Amino acid sequence: MADNTWNRRHIISLEDFTPNDYQTILQTAASFREVLSRRTKKVPALQGQVITNLFFEPSTRTRSSFELAAKRLSADILNFSPGSSSLKKGETILDTAKTYLAMGTNLMVIRHQQAGVPTIIAQEMDRINSGVGVLNAGDGQHAHPSQALLDLFTICHNFNPANPHIDQLQGKKVVIVGDILHSRVARSNIWSLTTCGAEVHLVAPPTLLPKHFLEAFKQPIRQDNEATAPTERKLYLHWQLEPALENADFVMALRLQHERMSQHLLPSLREYHQQFGITRERLQLCKPTVKIMHPGPTNRGVELTSDLMDDPELSLVPMQVTSGVATRMALLYLIGGVK
Ligand code: CP
């Protein structure tokens, strides 16, 4: 399972990931998914290493699946909770990180409500030559790379469970609907899906998807072979749901945050559902094989109807959560192997 080409010590954003990086992650995650199907679901890959979960913001899925991934790799895991920590006594975030470094931490998984915190910690870990790898588990509105990577794995696994490959995304239409402007999940998915050859269609009311949003994604796709010219990303904006859904292969709904109403970005959740909610009727516009996705947590009956979320023929939502463990095992394994 060793991958000698992987040389990223940190995973902060997917902006500069190449097709080869994504394929390495898919292949490694597929191997770990096979491990997780065995009777003994544990490998000694990171035995003796210490992984610290530094979650400064609430999480159910990401935190628990990183913890389980670390345990399945036989690492020791430390879980930091801000409410019961010395942050309350005025200790800084950097001093908190250095405290865990002094206990022998090898990898840090960091979530923070403010964009940039994982970057600052990674820079400090490099500056002091700690050898520690940092994985961004979601920072403000910036990035949520492990979510986008598990989404990529889920989509490719849906086509070929034995051999998920990025080529399966070529020409596929993925619709992302919801609060795009404030979503770190949307940003990370746009980088990964467009780099792997999918057409990504973004849909939201204009207040949650301004025209200038595309400017951030002008950077062409960097190919692994330097001789191959970079290519443009296939990324489109829509302010109405129905035209975007036509012939879609995947529809990814995003969580709507309730504070958007108090910020006057949305009239009401009911009106949002009427215009942008995913319903069985609207899915008729998509390909017959369409699948729906949601990173969670979900507002049932707002982003999508409750029955759709629980429909095993249509919904990949439980599969996203399951894929999260194998994908995060792959990420910990890959960055844990960088010397
Ligand atoms: N999708 C996601 O990041 O969920 P949590 O906030 O529960 O980790």
Side-chain angles (χ1 to χ4, degrees):
M1 200 178 286
D3 184 273
N4 299 326
T5 61
W6 185 270
N7 58 10
R8 295 175 185 274
R9 184 184 299 285
H10 311 298
I11 300 178
I12 304 293
S13 147
L14 300 178
E15 205 166 322
D16 64 343
F17 271 47
T18 66
N20 194 35
D21 290 325
Y22 291 114
Q23 189 51 36
T24 300
I25 292 166
L26 286 189
Q27 261 169 7
T28 314
S31 311
F32 285 126
R33 207 178 140 81
E34 188 278 318
V35 168
L36 294 175
S37 69
R38 294 181 200 162
R39 194 179 155 97
T40 304
K41 303 176 195 310
K42 215 163 169 159
V43 287
L46 295 186
Q47 199 159 36
Q49 295 214 27
V50 178
I51 298 175
T52 299
N53 259 342
L54 287 159
F55 277 59
F56 298 89
E57 189 204 81
S59 165
T60 298
R61 280 147 280 262
T62 312
R63 181 186 170 124
S64 300
S65 71
F66 267 118
E67 180 169 352
L68 187 55
K71 287 176 173 166
R72 298 295 196 212
L73 292 166
S74 306
D76 296 311
I77 177 102
L78 294 173
N79 278 306
F80 159 86
S81 301
S84 56
S85 77
S86 289
L87 275 185
K88 291 270 175 205
K89 301 177 197 162
E91 188 162 55
T92 66
I93 291 175
L94 272 183
D95 282 337
T96 302
K98 284 181 183 172
T99 300
Y100 283 103
L101 171 66
M103 286 183 215
T105 293
N106 303 100
L107 299 174
M108 291 184 188
V109 180
I110 301 169
R111 170 172 287 194
H112 201 282
Q113 56 277 17
Q114 210 172 314
V117 169
T119 309
I120 290 167
I121 295 178
Q123 285 168 346
E124 181 62 9
M125 290 298 139
D126 287 347
R127 191 188 67 77
I128 60 177
N129 287 321
S130 68
V132 163
V134 171
L135 236 153
N136 179 6
D139 64 329
Q141 295 170 15
H142 170 231
H144 194 347
S146 68
Q147 178 66 47
L149 293 168
L150 74 87
D151 290 339
L152 181 70
F153 181 84
T154 305
I155 289 174
C156 296
H157 180 272
N158 181 64
F159 289 115
N160 186 345
N163 184 23
H165 200 287
I166 59 166
D167 287 353
Q168 288 142 354
L169 262 174
Q170 281 298 328
K172 294 292 184 302
K173 180 173 178 180
V174 183
V175 177
I176 306 180
V177 54
D179 186 359
I180 311 276
L181 181 63
H182 303 97
S183 173
R184 58 194 178 203
V185 175
R187 282 177 176 76
S188 290
N189 264 298
I190 291 168
W191 291 120
S192 57
L193 294 171
T194 54
T195 299
C196 294
E199 261 185 33
V200 176
H201 292 251
L202 307 175
V203 199
T207 46
L208 300 180
L209 183 58
K211 266 191 199 152
H212 65 73
F213 186 81
L214 281 190
E215 293 299 316
F217 299 94
K218 284 269 186 264
Q219 186 183 301
I221 300 166
R222 191 162 68 88
Q223 300 299 327
D224 295 295
N225 180 351
E226 297 292 330
T228 313
T231 48
E232 293 301 311
R233 294 174 197 280
K234 295 187 186 118
L235 184 59
Y236 308 92
L237 303 191
H238 301 260
W239 294 283
Q240 282 188 316
L241 181 59
E242 281 79 3
L245 289 180
E246 279 173 23
N247 290 318
D249 294 280
F250 296 91
V251 180
M252 188 182 294
L254 299 176
R255 185 170 74 92
L256 212 59
Q257 293 177 31
H258 291 263
E259 67 260 30
R260 302 300 170 229
M261 256 84 63
S262 55
Q263 294 165 341
H264 307 294
L265 296 173
L266 280 177
S268 71
L269 291 182
R270 202 161 67 97
E271 201 159 316
Y272 174 85
H273 181 72
Q274 275 171 1
Q275 287 188 42
F276 294 96
I278 306 300
T279 62
R280 212 169 274 278
E281 190 187 2
R282 285 179 167 147
L283 287 182
Q284 300 294 320
L285 295 163
C286 305
K287 291 224 178 99
T289 52
V290 69
K291 300 287 179 202
I292 51 174
M293 302 173 74
H294 194 303
T298 315
N299 298 301
R300 281 177 182 262
V302 178
E303 295 106 25
L304 68 175
T305 55
S306 194
D307 68 307
L308 283 183
M309 194 167 149
D310 297 329
D311 185 331
E313 293 300 313
L314 283 168
S315 172
L316 292 180
V317 176
M319 176 62 190
Q320 286 173 273
V321 178
T322 305
S323 300
V325 180
T327 306
R328 288 172 172 132
M329 283 174 82
L331 302 182
L332 294 173
Y333 171 80
L334 288 167
I335 70 169
V338 175
K339 297 289 168 238

